[in-house]
Amino acid sequence: MNPALLGLLTIVIGVGGCVGYFYFSNVFLDKVLFPASGPNASRNINRANKIRPWLFLAPALLALGLYLAYPVFETLRLSFLERLPGGRTQFVGFDNYTRMFAEPKFMEALRNNMLWLIVVPAGSTAFGLLAAQLTDRISWGSVAKSLIFMPMAISFVGAAVIFKLVYETRPEDAQQIGVLNALWLRFDGGIGSFIFLKIVPAILLLGFAAALAWIVWVTIRKIREPRLASGLKIVFALLALLMAYIAVSSVLNAGSVLTAELDYGTPMTWLTIPFWNNFFLMIVLVWIQTGFAMVILSAALRGIPEETIEAAIIDGANPFQIFFSIKVPQIMSTIVVVWTTITIATLKVFDIVFAMTNGQWETQVLANYMYDKLFRANDWGVGSASAMIIMLLVTPILVWNVYNARKEMR
Amino acid sequence: MDNIAGTKSTLTWAVHISVLALVLLWLFPTMGLFVSSFRTGDQITQSGWWKAMFPAELTEQFRAADPDENRIETEAGVFVVEGDFRQEGLGGEISTWGTSSRDLAAYAPGDTADLGEGETFTVNADGTYVWQGNADQIEGRGQRVFITALEPPEFTLANYDQVLLDPRNSEGMAKAFFNTLTVVIPATIIPILVAAFAAYALAWMDFPGRALLIAAVVGLLVVPLQLALIPLLKLHNEIGIGKGYLGVWLAHTGFGMPLAIYLLRNYMVGLPRDIIENAKVDGATDFQIFTKIILPLSFPALASFAIFQFLWTWNDLLVALVFLIDSSGETTVMTKQIVELLGTRGGDWEILATSAFVSIAVPLVVFFAMQRFLVRGLLAGSVK
């Protein structure tokens, strides 16, 4: 049958089936099982009302349970099994995990994913905050916002094609059609190149390190507060350590940026430069997620009470002080929500890597590694084990979200 | 804020300029794809798309007319072929020309090239040419000429014609477009219906375990769908669905369910309690309250989830790869087709750009048309 017709039929059957289920199950409950008449009318009404919620919930619970909850446990089980010829399986304990951790490609994926987890949420939130703050102050801000927000609607695959064109490389004597190479070839090693390719990046890196150092300092101050639970203290201390490490390494990197020998005049194949190519892939996700961060942060910025800002202005605060000392602390909880949401999206990143490099040239990430193992190597054990690693990384955020949701309901 | 004392006008200018720079930076990559999809393959490879608005130097290869049919003996032993390259598609002003691919800029218009042993070739500024030599030289195939001309900007719809309307469908995009639609429409409508009932139960019905269920939905919101691939593929194979539309519809329904329930419940909880209680007093059943009161009032939330689900299913690659596309490739979707083209036609930017633009055009239209609902949904889902 024609798939379009099949689709139409499914809509009719699916929608009709759903409506029919809800309608007839209610009728059945009220008229046949516990009729609201006769000697037991009031008891029957109560009984029916006890059952009705579950009638409403049943299809959704089935979908949730079968398509999300059950797979978590099944994947956990599969990660301890090895498939034997003939469809049998054998329990192998942590064998899949040890095999996986011994594989250099997995360690590469893990390292890259960590890099993604730092750069993409930080980059998107920072750009989003910047865009939100700037666009809120001008008349054509809503137009600007909707244009920055637009990549949200573009698929990862579409974005991959878009950025492949940006990164395209042509031989040295031909015209460059990729924007990045065309720009790159304008630099010839003169004073302009020195400013734009060495001084500016070095300043940016140092600024990033300074921002991190400030956050570390704030975190340490928070840890020393006696009211804080000791569990949270440990988490904060670990985070502070991690950020301190990143800050130190970015200071060191700033030094190496200044002294690096750049290959002026030669077109670069950007996606094949090990380590740095990861950043060229991350730019794609930052480009997509910035709009999301901007929309949410801009709503949060508008929710800040005017009086606090007016009071700061009267006290003589300059715009930067207003932004960093008055506004940012007030929207901190929203920043955390945005950050974690983007973190989850980053953890699952698959399409971009799959379409642009497929994990070659040391750009592997966990989700693509898993896909490789599952469907190319057909190794379900290691594939499931790597899926469990992704789950493990998501779990802290899951617990945090559930904790917040419960707190809110009380 | 702007009228508050203390805001400086120079700063306002800086804000305008930085926003403009940011917007341009964000638009630039997409513009590249858009402009490239209206250029021919030759144009794309010969100049960057940002130069497309200006005349460009373009080198093209031409061949003189077939000597065996067109040559004229002007005097004894001297044969001449004359013609006009303009009629063969040469446009613009000729800047240089050459007869060898190694030296494209050997001659200026009007020059006469000496091809050895008395054979000559002349290309004039107006595109006409004269090829002269003896009987042995003026025969076989026409002389090759490389002409570099300043071509005026030119855009074409030929790429779209080839990608979408080509009857042989060599790029497979037309079919993939309909396959994507077939996946998307049921995968958007069915979860809404199922989730709306559940959201109503979680928002307005009292039963033991409700708080626990809501917490579970919040938890499932972040479970990576990667975990579901193998168990569900196994399940689908065991119950006989295998790979196909039914499987992908079910999968999208399941994966979209937590967000749907979460968004709709958050919205429904905020509806005024009085309306619902009045209806109950008047003897309405829960089913009636839901269909007659809750559903119409929840339209904004339904719309915002519908957009989410639409964008997500339209743009999805992984779920389609795992649950839909079998070895026959008959059910391929656009995202998969584009990845395929990236592999097989990596250098043919006119095809790649057009295909990619076809696939992102529909979500972009939906995005700009329904942005209001999308933003509202995002805010409901994230800001608490």
Side-chain angles (χ1 to χ4, degrees), chain B residues 178-211:
Chain B
F178 286 107
N179 289 345
T180 306
L181 257 164
T182 314
V183 170
V184 164
I185 295 174
T188 308
I189 295 176
I190 292 172
I192 294 181
L193 206 65
V194 173
F197 276 95
Y200 173 70
L202 289 175
W204 288 108
M205 292 167 121
D206 233 352
F207 59 93
R210 189 173 76 154

Side-chain angles (χ1 to χ4, degrees), chain A residues 6 10 112 154 226 264 269 277 303 332 344:
Chain A
L6 190 69
T10 313
N112 287 344
I154 295 176
Y264 294 109
T269 46
N277 49 9
M332 212 45 181
I344 290 169

Side-chain angles (χ1 to χ4, degrees), chain B residues 15-247:
Chain B
V15 168
H16 278 285
I17 290 169
S18 344
V19 172
L20 191 67
L22 209 60
V23 168
L24 288 180
L25 191 67
W26 248 251
L27 269 185
F28 201 68
T30 320
M31 282 299 294
L33 196 77
F34 183 65
V35 172
S36 294
S37 72
F38 292 105
R39 305 178 79 202
T40 64
D42 280 341
Q43 284 174 320
I44 293 177
T45 50
Q46 298 215 356
S47 67
W49 63 266
W50 53 92
K51 294 179 189 158
M53 307 295 162
F54 314 104
E57 291 252 298
L58 206 65
T59 304
E60 271 181 289
Q61 178 187 324
F62 292 92
R63 222 172 244 292
D66 186 357
D68 296 333
E69 288 172 16
N70 295 302
R71 69 181 185 183
I72 303 162
E73 194 166 7
T74 46
E75 47 191 286
V78 177
F79 290 87
V80 169
V81 175
E82 286 185 348
D84 187 354
F85 286 134
R86 293 256 177 236
Q87 280 159 13
E88 287 166 48
L90 175 70
E93 189 184 328
I94 301 172
S95 54
T96 56
W97 62 278
T99 52
S100 149
S101 61
R102 269 165 300 172
D103 193 2
L104 298 175
Y107 309 103
D111 283 359
T112 299
D114 183 5
L115 301 179
E117 295 172 16
E119 184 184 355
T120 61
F121 201 100
T122 308
V123 176
N124 296 314
D126 60 358
T128 54
Y129 61 90
V130 182
W131 180 23
Q132 188 173 333
N134 62 30
D136 291 339
Q137 288 160 338
I138 311 293
E139 65 149 17
R141 298 189 69 187
Q143 172 67 33
R144 265 197 317 173
V145 185
F146 299 90
I147 298 179
T148 305
L150 201 63
E151 300 268 2
E154 198 188 328
F155 298 99
T156 164
L157 285 171
N159 299 330
Y160 286 92
D161 200 43
Q162 186 186 351
V163 165
L164 284 178
L165 303 176
D166 179 17
R168 285 175 298 119
N169 189 28
S170 46
E171 319 304 341
M173 280 308 278
K175 201 173 73 192
F177 187 93
F178 286 107
N179 289 345
T180 306
L181 257 164
T182 314
V183 170
V184 164
I185 295 174
T188 308
I189 295 176
I190 292 172
I192 294 181
L193 206 65
V194 173
F197 276 95
Y200 173 70
L202 289 175
W204 288 108
M205 292 167 121
D206 233 352
F207 59 93
R210 189 173 76 154
L212 205 68
L213 272 181
I214 297 171
V217 168
V218 173
L220 289 175
L221 212 48
V222 299
V223 168
L225 68 91
Q226 265 89 358
L227 272 93
L229 302 183
I230 298 230
L232 290 182
L233 192 58
K234 234 171 63 172
L235 184 82
H236 281 181
N237 282 334
E238 273 161 18
I239 60 176
I241 297 176
K243 280 186 160 200
Y245 286 113
L246 190 56

Side-chain angles (χ1 to χ4, degrees), chain A residues 63-324:
Chain A
L64 283 176
L66 198 60
Y67 278 82
L68 285 165
Y70 153 78
V72 174
F73 298 103
E74 177 69 5
T75 305
L76 183 65
R77 193 179 73 89
L78 284 173
S79 74
F80 293 119
L81 295 180
E82 189 181 317
R83 282 207 296 178
L84 298 176
R88 288 172 305 122
T89 52
Q90 184 192 2
F91 182 78
V92 292
F94 281 94
D95 210 29
N96 289 323
Y97 289 89
T98 46
R99 263 202 301 147
M100 183 172 72
F101 275 96
E103 225 180 295
K105 206 68 187 164
F106 172 75
M107 294 313 282
E108 176 196 313
L110 203 58
R111 183 204 69 178
N112 287 344
N113 246 45
M114 291 301 150
L115 216 56
W116 279 77
L117 283 184
I118 296 166
V119 174
V120 175
S124 315
T125 314
F127 276 117
L129 193 55
L130 182 75
Q133 167 67 14
L134 293 179
T135 51
D136 270 350
R137 307 176 53 149
I138 54 177
S139 49
W140 52 286
S142 61
V143 177
K145 248 183 234 167
S146 91
L147 289 175
I148 295 178
F149 192 34
M150 181 196 71
M152 215 35 202
I154 295 176
S155 63
F156 287 152
V157 174
V161 177
I162 290 175
F163 275 84
K164 270 218 146 177
L165 182 59
V166 172
Y167 299 147
E168 175 77 356
T169 314
R170 295 268 145 179
E172 201 166 335
D173 46 1
Q175 282 270 347
Q176 294 300 327
I177 63 166
V179 179
L180 200 60
N181 263 317
L183 270 182
W184 164 246
L185 289 182
R186 299 214 148 207
F187 291 110
D188 50 3
I191 182 77
S193 319
F194 186 71
I195 291 172
F196 281 110
L197 297 180
K198 299 204 160 161
I199 307 270
V200 172
I203 289 174
L204 284 179
L205 269 174
L206 289 178
F208 177 64
L212 274 180
W214 181 71
I215 297 174
V216 169
W217 187 66
V218 170
T219 317
I220 289 174
R221 226 174 30 175
K222 193 114 193 168
I223 292 171
R224 290 174 59 187
E225 274 175 26
R227 284 183 295 118
L228 211 62
S230 56
L232 270 181
K233 272 188 185 175
I234 296 172
V235 174
F236 277 176
L238 285 177
L239 278 177
L241 259 179
L242 181 72
M243 286 188 290
Y245 169 75
I246 299 165
V248 170
S249 62
S250 43
V251 171
L252 294 179
N253 268 319
S256 62
V257 163
L258 279 177
T259 54
E261 292 277 332
L262 295 176
D263 205 0
Y264 294 109
T266 334
M268 293 285 192
T269 46
W270 304 103
L271 292 177
T272 62
I273 311 169
F275 187 70
W276 297 109
N277 49 9
N278 284 305
F279 292 91
F280 291 116
L281 297 184
M282 288 174 209
I283 287 174
V284 182
L285 195 55
V286 172
W287 179 73
I288 291 175
Q289 296 286 357
T290 295
F292 163 76
M294 178 196 64
V295 164
I296 292 180
L297 293 173
S298 130
L301 280 176
R302 264 189 246 141
I304 294 177
E306 280 283 309
E307 304 88 70
T308 55
I309 296 160
E310 280 165 20
I313 291 171
I314 292 167
D315 285 348
N318 68 37
F320 290 97
Q321 283 174 324
I322 292 175
F323 183 66
F324 284 107

